[in-house]
Amino acid sequence: GILGVDPAVREAARGIGMTDWQLLVRVEWPLALPVIVAGIRTAAVWVVGTATLATPVGATSLGNYIFSGLQTQNITAVLVGCIAAALLAIVLDQLIHRLERAVAGRSRRRAVAAVTLLLIVMIGGAVPALRSARGDGNVTIAVGSKPFTEQYILAEALAFTLETAGFGVERRPGMGSMILFEALTRSDIDVYVDYSGTLWTNVMRQDRLPPRDSLLRGLTAWLKQNHDVTCLGALGFENTYVLAVPRALADRHGLRTLHDLARIAPDLRMGSDYEFYSRPEWDALTAQYGLAFGELRTFDPSLMYEAVRAGDVDVISAYSTDGRIIDYDLVALSDPVGALPPYDAVLLLSPAASNDRVRAALVPWIGRVDADRMREANRRVDQEGEQPARAAALLLQVLDSGDATRQMDR
């Protein structure tokens, strides 16, 4: 704004003897202010748009509705997030535009009115965060989850259990794997479900694959010793990565194992979620089987299954507990070499949450959820459009909570 001031005006100010400070305050700043406000107006609109991307790093925003809605195929949630973000951008744009016109017209009254309205909007946005920080007198536990259906359901089930035990709960959905783990080690997140194979390969950076029980014991000891993180135990099911293809393609080429897939991989297109190709598991698969696909594409996990059903890709990296493998008539190819580690779902507690009261509330989950029950809960969300909180009631039944469904409905 200041650089855009007419040089002739500067020269005139110098000619009447103004100092540098007088030139700035009495000439350059007033002339530049409309341009500065216009820049702030543009920046505000951009910030609203990019702020929706804060969800994967655990910051609550309107992106929560968009990310979770995409994953669970809840169009209403996606529309709520998108429309609310658009309305917020429009409101801020118009209010700052009013301020811009007031500055240009040297109208103090209109400028005060515009600033007052902006402050009202900003305070309105801050109140929920302040209320959450203040809490209701109970200990607040932050429950995190990764950005796919199963994680949303598990997080809701854990949150309900903690609320029933008298804790305040803050939900942090849709976070990336490594960001979520790092947040746990700092106690920014207190509880979440991870998978033993993910922790073994991505966090511990281990290449060898011991037997499942040995892996879980070694993982538990390592987490406690190196990060003071408590692995409370396995929930009772495994959700491993599998490469899946449509049944018609599998029958046409006789695909049953990853060795079979490697033969025709150069002629196929593969789709995966946005972090799989950067994970050690993908490196292990390509090294062990020599997989070299003709094209690699990245999708939101919810859109990945639709892509393979529509023929946009030929292979996807699916999750073994996903009900869509059956509903979409996909064939999960076996891993005869054992390149992938076991992926037992394990319950993790942060250093701050590793106390007797939290443990007592969550221990009943250990060993109680089998793969069939988890797969059915996932199917209800992905195929029948249930909310994750409602599907979580199916898991709560294993805790002998006979009224869980009614309470979750409320």
Side-chain angles (χ1 to χ4, degrees), residues 262-321:
R263 289 188 288 102
I264 62 170
D267 300 322
L268 303 179
R269 300 158 297 171
M270 179 172 171
S272 186
D273 60 61
Y274 45 70
E275 65 175 50
F276 182 66
Y277 297 131
S278 62
R279 293 171 65 108
E281 293 95 323
W282 173 244
D283 294 336
L285 286 176
T286 54
Q288 292 288 344
Y289 294 100
L291 295 171
F293 291 96
E295 181 182 359
L296 297 177
R297 299 182 62 184
T298 303
F299 295 88
D300 181 271
S302 63
L303 304 178
M304 185 171 61
Y305 291 87
E306 294 294 339
V308 74
R309 181 164 70 169
D312 295 330
V313 293
D314 306 298
V315 187
I316 61 170
S317 59
Y319 308 117
S320 61
T321 55

Side-chain angles (χ1 to χ4, degrees), residues 111 187 221 232 236 267 320 330 345 361 381 404:
S187 295
L232 205 56
D267 300 322
S320 61
L330 303 178
V381 174

Side-chain angles (χ1 to χ4, degrees), residues 41-61:
R41 178 184 175 190
T42 302
V45 174
W46 277 99
V47 166
V48 171
T50 53
T52 59
L53 300 176
T55 297
V57 294
T60 302
S61 73

Side-chain angles (χ1 to χ4, degrees), residues 130-142 159-170 190 352 355 357-358:
L130 294 173
R131 182 179 302 163
S132 174
R134 185 173 61 250
D136 57 1
N138 294 333
V139 176
T140 299
I141 303 295
F160 180 79
T161 301
L162 290 165
E163 288 169 341
T164 302
F167 293 97
V169 173
E170 180 183 0
D190 295 305
N355 57 68
R357 188 180 170 203
V358 176

